[in-house]
Amino acid sequence: MTNPIDPVKLEKLAEVAIRIGLQLQEGQDLVMTAPVAALPLVRLLTREAYKAGAGLVTTFYSDEECTLARYRHARDESFDRASGWLYEGMAKAFEGGAARLAISGDNPMLLAGEDPAKVSRANRANSKAYKPALEKISNFEINWNIISYPNPSWAKLVFPGLPEEEAVARLADAIFKASRVDVADPVAAWKAHNANLASRCAFLNGERFAALHFTGPGTDLTVGLADGHEWQGGATTAKNGVICNANIPTEEVFTTPHALKVEGHVSSTKPLSHQGSLIDNIRVRFEGGRIVEAKASKGEEVLNKVLDTDEGARRLGEVALVPHSSPISASGILFYNTLFDENASCHIALGQCYSKCFVDGGKLSGDQIKAQGGNSSLIHIDWMIGSGEVDIDGIRADGTRTPVMRKGEWA
Ligand code: ZN
Ligand code: ZN
């Protein structure tokens, strides 16, 4: 049997993750999480990390069969518990300066057939326990990065008609292409891509729009932007001074909406795969920033459970712009994985905002962020609202408008 995953490109992915994604520093420790299926990539990453001068590399593995065993056989109380000790340890490692690398690649529909009440309880317990570590990640107190590995279970979902080996090969190629490691010099390609995203941010930050107005089929939505919001995209300088590319791939520029100033209705343009369930054709209506009505043709119950997580779950924490012609969108593949699908389309996210999407965000307290319109929640869930049929106007404080996107492309 031949290896369906190109070993040279896999090595390039590991190199890009360590050198561009993390910019791992001499002597810096690294905490990784990975599905067991991604072991070949973990080995390459570990080697690259030590070659880059890593202090200590520690990896935590998960396994789909073990996850399912819990849902099928664990006692009921299990679903209100999470490994808090592990996340406390991770938070400690980050306080000590460690970088974070996550490999995604599990079957996004793994839990689709399990009891949704148990899934939501387990997610809630996990989000709560993860919070101390996740805050350090989402606030960029450290350099971090997330990449993907083509697990067979995921590949078979994305390419259901193909034999497993062929599906893995196709998904691997799609990941390599989207992650810009299918070129001769991926490090140079990433530098050029970062410069392009930085120029889009400079335009939007110069305009200082008060709101964005989205119009398209099933969508007429005005998203007020937070006071002192800042557009971000591509590379980020973490608070430890390291410039990292947190998401590989990434095509988006994004900022913080005003939690109280979103009005109108919006329809999703791609299905949302949320922790094992598929939510499709989402239609929601906002009043005063809050979702007051939510419908979906599929997964409506899951959607409403998500919205009831906490008060902030019904409000927006992110708005992001991605041209319809982005390479991921052009691939036409539905990955069922937010890391990819969010980079195929303009999107909004329910829940927690990013403090870095404010001018001098690193210096703002939680209360200041709230006063400027930043949302807080245990969740952060991106869903896609862009397509080749969506127009976006920027609206200034004085009411004047400028076209930002027309038919899904930069105007
Ligand atoms: Zn986003
Ligand atoms: Zn997001």
Side-chain angles (χ1 to χ4, degrees), residues 247 252 254 318 320 338 342 347-349 352 354 380-382:
N247 288 352
E252 59 172 345
F254 57 104
E318 179 194 341
T338 302
E342 78 160 337
H347 56 273
I348 50 182
Q352 182 65 38
Y354 291 113
H380 176 101
I381 298 170
D382 300 274

Side-chain angles (χ1 to χ4, degrees), residues 201 205 230-237 252-255 356-358:
C201 291
N205 285 325
E230 186 165 279
W231 288 89
Q232 301 266 344
T236 302
T237 306
E252 59 172 345
V253 296
F254 57 104
T255 195
K356 69 162 183 160
C357 288
F358 285 95

